Amino acid sequence: MINDILTLIYMMSILGISIVVNTVLGTVIAKRNLKFDKKKLKSGLIKSVVVCVSVIAFCLTLELLPYILSRVEIKLPEEVITTIELLTIFLTAYVKYAKDIFEKIKLLLNQKESE
């Protein structure tokens, strides 16, 4: 279980970095367009915290699931739980935030060409 929690921490750090990069790029784009809005930044940061806490809570409940099910004599392989955790973090970090980051980088590169 400790090894799974360490893996979870490593994966969540990747999610956290993706969220920070996404927020910073959004701020840079907003400044370039001279439409910086503190409310949007605050809203983005709050959304980021909610996403991270939700993913962490979901993964922790998955870690506890085999122990709860063992009380009623149902055995789940650890690989199933680890796979579900990794897929959850992967879908959140890589698909959602990596896509946003890519779009923002593309937007910044297009802005540089037009200047």
Side-chain angles (χ1 to χ4, degrees):
M1 181 170 164
I2 297 295
N3 206 14
D4 290 341
I5 291 175
L6 288 175
T7 303
L8 175 64
I9 290 169
Y10 295 145
M11 295 297 292
M12 287 304 296
S13 66
I14 292 170
L15 175 61
I17 290 168
S18 298
I19 290 171
V20 168
V21 169
N22 187 36
T23 304
V24 168
L25 285 174
T27 304
V28 168
I29 290 170
K31 275 194 167 190
R32 290 183 74 95
N33 294 334
L34 301 175
K35 293 188 270 183
F36 181 73
D37 187 5
K38 286 184 180 181
K39 288 182 184 178
K40 273 193 173 182
L41 177 63
K42 182 180 173 184
S43 170
L45 292 174
I46 290 172
K47 181 180 108 179
S48 302
V49 168
V50 168
V51 167
C52 280
V53 168
S54 299
V55 170
I56 289 171
F58 178 69
C59 290
L60 287 177
T61 58
L62 286 174
E63 283 293 324
L64 295 175
L65 186 62
Y67 300 107
I68 294 169
L69 290 177
S70 70
R71 294 179 60 108
V72 290
E73 297 179 13
I74 297 174
K75 301 285 183 193
L76 276 181
E78 276 190 35
E79 297 83 31
V80 171
I81 300 299
T82 305
T83 303
I84 294 171
E85 288 174 350
L86 292 177
L87 283 174
T88 301
I89 296 169
F90 174 78
L91 290 174
T92 305
Y94 298 104
V95 174
K96 198 264 183 247
Y97 284 101
K99 181 181 168 219
D100 284 351
I101 290 168
F102 178 73
E103 292 296 322
K104 288 177 181 174
I105 289 172
K106 193 167 84 172
L107 180 66
L108 282 173
L109 291 175
N110 288 339
Q111 282 181 347
K112 279 193 167 197
E113 290 173 3
S114 64
E115 288 179 0

